[in-house]
Amino acid sequence: MHSSILGYLSRWILSALLVLSLLLPFGVRAADAQQIAATLCAACHGPDGNSTDPAYPKIAGLDRDYLAKQLRYFASGQRRNDIMAGIVATIGEADFLPLAAYFSSQQPLPGKVRNARLAEIGKQIYEDGNTETGVPACAGCHQSNGSGNARFPRLAGQHQAYTLQQLAEYKSGRRAADRLMVSVGQRLSADEMKALAEYIAGL
Ligand code: HEC
Ligand code: HEC
């Protein structure tokens, strides 16, 4: 009887240890990601991914898989940006997904429209596209409210300057890891890009 209690106890301890050893890496990873975010990413993107400096994109609330994919693009050089290339080189590939999950789980803050007339023009292109030049409706992929998903990133509330710069990079082919957005960018005029960036900031 004595030995069966001991056997039961040791089995219990063994399985508890096994569960712990399975859970521990995730706990450590999550803590790691939060710490990396606070020490390495916050300076530009804000502690919760809502950057206040328009030179840096808001990354709060964007889909986890989209964010992780962009980190891989920066690492491979498929998406060219010297700052982010330097950043991803200092962290391990294993941290990409936990970091993406952290920023994805943060509440995105709204942006600000500065020119309501321009935003009105942007809304029309966003909702209907431009049939004359073959610009597709942005809403068709990024959704009417700009909330996006894993395939088509969230745009809502983004800084005008960042949206404008990315549209220009798709148009020129500098950002071309995903050709789908290149074909959209190529059809946009400079005026349309400005109007779209203004409208998207207020979504
Ligand atoms: C020194 C400033 C700086 C720091 C620090 C920084 N970033 Fe960035 N990040 C940028 C800039 C600038 C861009 C825009 C790059 C471009 O134009 O392609 C960017 C873009 C991104 C994007 C793409 C966003 C999108 O919508 O496609 C992700 C994801 C990202 N950063 C994650 C991170 C993470 C995670 C960290 C910390 C490990 C970090 N960044 C640290 C400046 C920074
Ligand atoms: C056919 C689907 C599709 C349509 C239509 C579309 N997009 Fe996109 N968009 C994408 C995809 C896919 C990506 C991600 C590309 C990548 O990884 O570089 C993207 C990325 C973007 C980005 C970069 C976001 C970031 O966080 O860096 C912006 C800005 C953008 N789209 C704006 C627009 C605008 C404005 C329109 C309308 C004129 C539009 N898109 C229409 C599919 C689409």
Side-chain angles (χ1 to χ4, degrees):
M1 178 178 164
H2 212 112
S3 66
S4 81
I5 288 177
L6 272 182
Y8 172 80
L9 263 181
S10 63
R11 268 200 308 279
W12 189 88
I13 288 171
L14 265 180
S15 47
L17 277 177
L18 184 69
V19 168
L20 254 184
S21 71
L22 284 174
L23 286 178
L24 212 55
F26 292 102
V28 169
R29 274 271 159 254
D32 274 357
Q34 220 164 327
Q35 197 177 7
I36 296 172
T39 53
L40 199 57
C41 320
C44 296
H45 295 289
D48 62 349
N50 284 293
S51 87
T52 49
D53 185 337
Y56 306 118
K58 292 182 184 176
I59 55 175
L62 271 77
D63 182 88
R64 181 195 68 167
D65 293 337
Y66 168 79
L67 291 177
K69 186 164 67 179
Q70 298 306 309
L71 292 175
R72 289 197 299 274
Y73 284 158
F74 287 126
S76 69
Q78 279 175 285
R79 182 170 173 185
R80 284 178 285 164
N81 181 267
D82 290 344
I83 299 176
M84 279 308 298
I87 295 288
V88 293
T90 66
I91 54 178
E93 189 118 358
D95 291 318
F96 291 178
L97 199 59
L99 274 168
Y102 170 76
F103 284 113
S104 180
S105 70
Q106 301 302 303
Q107 186 68 33
L109 295 179
K112 221 180 245 154
V113 169
R114 291 183 297 237
N115 182 334
R117 261 179 57 98
L118 193 57
E120 247 336 282
I121 299 169
K123 178 184 167 72
Q124 193 126 37
I125 309 162
Y126 189 93
E127 291 291 344
D128 302 329
N130 181 342
T131 46
E132 271 170 44
T133 54
V135 173
C138 320
C141 289
H142 296 278
Q143 301 171 8
S144 266
N145 63 4
S147 63
N149 52 42
R151 178 75 182 104
F152 309 120
R154 175 188 178 85
L155 305 176
Q158 186 58 267
H159 297 302
Q160 283 92 334
Y162 173 76
T163 300
L164 199 54
Q165 183 207 333
Q166 297 309 307
L167 292 176
E169 289 200 5
Y170 286 124
K171 187 181 175 85
S172 73
R174 180 178 163 86
R175 181 172 174 186
D178 191 323
R179 302 291 307 175
L180 202 47
M181 215 21 234
V182 174
S183 67
V184 177
Q186 280 168 344
R187 295 171 183 168
L188 289 170
S189 73
D191 285 343
E192 285 176 326
M193 289 185 197
K194 270 188 219 146
L196 283 163
E198 195 63 31
Y199 177 64
I200 284 167
L203 273 181

